[in-house]
Amino acid sequence: MATAPARRRTGRRAQLEQVALYPLDWLEERSGLVGGVKYFLFRKVPRDIGWFHTLGSATLTAFLVQAITGVVLAMYYKPDPASAYESIQHITNDVTLGWLVRGMHRWGASVFIILMFFHMARVFLFGAYKYPRELNWIIGVLLLVLGMAEGFTGYLLPWDQTAYWATVVGINLNGTAPFLGPFLAEFLQGGAAIGPDTLSKFYSLHMLVIPGAIMALIGLHLYLVIRLGVTPSPWAKESAPEASQQRSGGRAGLVRPGRRGGNGGE
Ligand code: HEM
């Protein structure tokens, strides 16, 4: 007697599950995206992974905060010498929570760069730049350069005395580089002196070109992280030369890159 309602309940539950899963099945059949996300979430990572390994994700979070707060600032900022300074004052003093968004973007820029250096130090000290991850290190170096270029181009935008003279110093420094220096300085300045063209050029670089390149490189960086697996800590048993040599067929200090659908990075 008691089993009939229970069976009806499980039948209804199965039906509900089918309805709920239908959109996911639809998506999976047409794109393989669900399988991809599952692979990403349930892939194997070294056993003793720790806080040091979170620095890359912390850097990513800082970048996302910069992207979101930057989009909000771009809704109010005016990249024109006659109104740039006033527009920033307007954001800080009049726009609801404008001071917070601007503060997050300004301080967040330093946090982003500092985290990038911490992450790079972790990768260096753990030897995670070695075979087969050299390409990811090179992509990282490009990210570092672009991150600093983001800071440099953003610094001019408030168009106050500090911004102006810091940019003069920066452009002059670039100008002293051998061969390419003078061209780079002229390109950045966009004319004989810093002026309206410099401001709009820096704005375009700061909010379109450099963030676009950073996003593309982060995509590539994370693809390689997932493809190659994460390096274990140097003190982990699985990093011991003999252990990893046995596992990876002779290549010391390496977690065997996981195959899609295979047994992962172990
Ligand atoms: C926008 C800046 C960056 C972001 C968002 C980012 C993100 C990440 C993430 C999430 C990981 C995996 C987790 C981890 O190991 O922490 C990673 C790994 C890695 N990153 Fe970055 N990274 C950035 C910059 C850099 C820089 C500047 C370098 C070095 C010059 C670098 C080199 C590497 C390498 C070699 C790995 C593989 C580490 C391993 O296999 O253990 N990254 N990155």
Side-chain angles (χ1 to χ4, degrees), residues 66-90:
Q66 289 308 96
I68 294 165
T69 51
V71 167
V72 176
L73 291 175
M75 291 174 183
Y76 298 94
Y77 176 73
K78 299 193 174 67
D80 158 46
S83 32
Y85 181 76
E86 276 74 33
S87 70
I88 294 258
Q89 292 310 308
H90 175 62

Side-chain angles (χ1 to χ4, degrees), residues 43 52-61 63 112 116-117 119-120 122-123 126 128-130 133-134 136-144 214 218 221-222 225 228-232:
R43 72 193 194 282
F52 291 123
H53 284 87
T54 62
L55 286 165
S57 309
T59 314
L60 180 62
T61 308
F63 176 74
F112 174 54
M116 236 188 320
F117 272 103
H119 168 57
M120 190 170 65
R122 185 307 270 169
V123 167
F126 282 28
Y129 56 85
K130 292 179 194 168
R133 299 183 179 84
E134 303 96 319
N136 224 11
W137 175 267
I138 293 169
I139 293 171
V141 171
L142 294 178
L143 281 168
L144 187 67
I214 291 183
I218 286 181
H221 198 64
L222 296 185
V225 167
L228 301 173
V230 177
T231 317

